[in-house]
Amino acid sequence: MVETYGELNASRNNAILICHALSGDHHAAGYHSATDSKPGWWDSAIGPGKAIDTTKFFVVALNNLAYLYLQQNKLEDALQYAEKAVKQRPDNAAAVDTYAQVLVAKKDYKKAVQQYDAVVNDDMQNEEIYLNYVEALFLDGSNLLAKRKLERREMKSEENIARQAQLKAKYAD
């Protein structure tokens, strides 16, 4: 995933690529949805009038390396980077989510659920990670728990409301 800020000029010479450590995600600045509980991880440095001034620069922020490899279905590379990220930041839900998604892609559902159990709770702000966790529960065979989690949570974003409905339909008895 990628987020961009500012405008690319006609000469195409004002782009800045923001890379980050093995943990985190592509959300570098500002609030982008009603479900964001905090601004991006470089919010104090990216934006109009800030060190990386988005009135002058076109800023591109990429997701972590593990996620990028996961998107390319390079699961061993993704696993390597995801494990490093979780080792560095075991309480970072974004890093754990990427690691768990790699495990899901490798069909290691039990281990994915164990990872999610460490960082996901019913009150967490990030709806996408919450739904990823619920889907991992379904894939691991914990259908009753997954259904309860789907029922007790009201999603706010349209995208996650639709995904919640898809999960309910897909795993209905």
Side-chain angles (χ1 to χ4, degrees):
M1 299 177 95
V2 174
E3 282 185 359
T4 61
Y5 311 86
E7 300 280 331
L8 185 62
N9 65 20
S11 301
R12 297 176 173 252
N13 64 0
N14 69 329
I16 295 176
L17 176 63
I18 300 293
C19 298
H20 56 85
L22 297 171
S23 59
D25 59 23
H26 60 285
H27 182 55
Y31 294 87
H32 290 274
S33 74
T35 61
D36 284 348
S37 62
K38 57 186 176 188
W41 38 268
W42 275 30
D43 191 60
S44 62
I46 299 173
K50 296 179 181 178
I52 302 173
D53 190 337
T54 54
T55 63
K56 298 176 185 175
F57 299 108
F58 176 64
V59 179
V60 178
L62 298 175
N63 208 323
N64 65 52
L65 292 173
Y67 188 79
L68 296 173
Y69 279 120
L70 175 61
Q71 287 183 313
Q72 297 172 12
N73 203 33
K74 295 180 178 179
L75 299 182
E76 291 308 314
D77 291 328
L79 183 63
Q80 174 188 349
Y81 285 107
E83 286 173 339
K84 287 180 182 178
V86 170
K87 186 175 181 182
Q88 287 181 2
R89 307 247 338 255
D91 61 338
N92 181 290
V96 170
D97 180 52
T98 300
Y99 181 40
Q101 288 301 297
V102 172
L103 294 169
V104 165
K106 292 176 71 62
K107 301 190 183 331
D108 191 347
Y109 307 127
K110 186 167 294 310
K111 192 169 183 180
V113 168
Q114 289 171 345
Q115 292 298 312
Y116 279 128
D117 282 341
V119 296
V120 174
N121 62 60
D122 291 338
D123 299 322
M124 78 178 303
Q125 295 293 313
N126 190 309
E127 295 176 338
E128 183 179 357
I129 292 174
Y130 185 85
L131 290 173
N132 289 345
Y133 172 52
V134 169
E135 187 161 24
L137 285 169
F138 277 123
L139 292 168
D140 189 42
S142 301
N143 292 16
L144 185 59
L145 177 58
K147 287 178 183 180
R148 276 188 290 190
K149 289 191 172 294
L150 277 180
E151 292 303 322
R152 73 169 65 135
R153 183 72 185 260
E154 184 177 329
M155 298 294 142
K156 293 179 175 62
S157 79
E158 288 183 32
E159 180 180 327
N160 290 324
I161 291 168
R163 182 166 177 222
Q164 183 180 37
Q166 289 170 342
L167 287 172
K168 286 179 180 179
K170 182 177 181 178
Y171 295 103
D173 288 331

